[in-house]
Amino acid sequence: LACAPPGPARADVADIVVELRSRGADVRLLGPVEGSDVRWAAAAPEVLAPILAVTRGQQVALALARLLGLDPDSPPGLTKVTIT
């Protein structure tokens, strides 16, 4: 999962995604860039990019968990009570 928000690093991220895919990696691109798998509005200010990326990342994680038949609200190994 690669995040390419607006700003100076966007082109580098897009380039590395192309390179990784050419080597057979399964990479998903997030951001307001051409070829993105998970987009957000290109007009959004750069300062909001981390919030947009995290939100989209959580949406991808939720969809993947459901696709795999997992319960994202009750992951194995997680307990909400700490035994002291």
Side-chain angles (χ1 to χ4, degrees):
L1 193 56
C3 182
R10 177 174 33 184
D12 292 335
V13 173
D15 289 346
I16 195 71
V17 167
V18 170
E19 174 66 24
L20 290 169
R21 286 177 176 167
S22 75
R23 295 179 182 203
D26 184 12
V27 181
R28 297 294 183 256
L29 182 60
L30 280 76
V33 295
E34 187 174 329
S36 178
D37 299 292
V38 183
R39 296 185 60 86
W40 66 72
E46 184 178 351
V47 70
L48 295 179
I51 296 168
L52 297 170
V54 167
T55 302
R56 288 296 197 197
Q58 289 175 335
Q59 291 170 334
V60 169
L62 177 62
L64 180 60
R66 289 181 173 161
L67 183 68
L68 295 173
L70 301 173
D71 181 1
D73 293 321
S74 184
L78 177 68
T79 57
K80 296 185 179 188
V81 177
T82 303
I83 300 173
T84 57

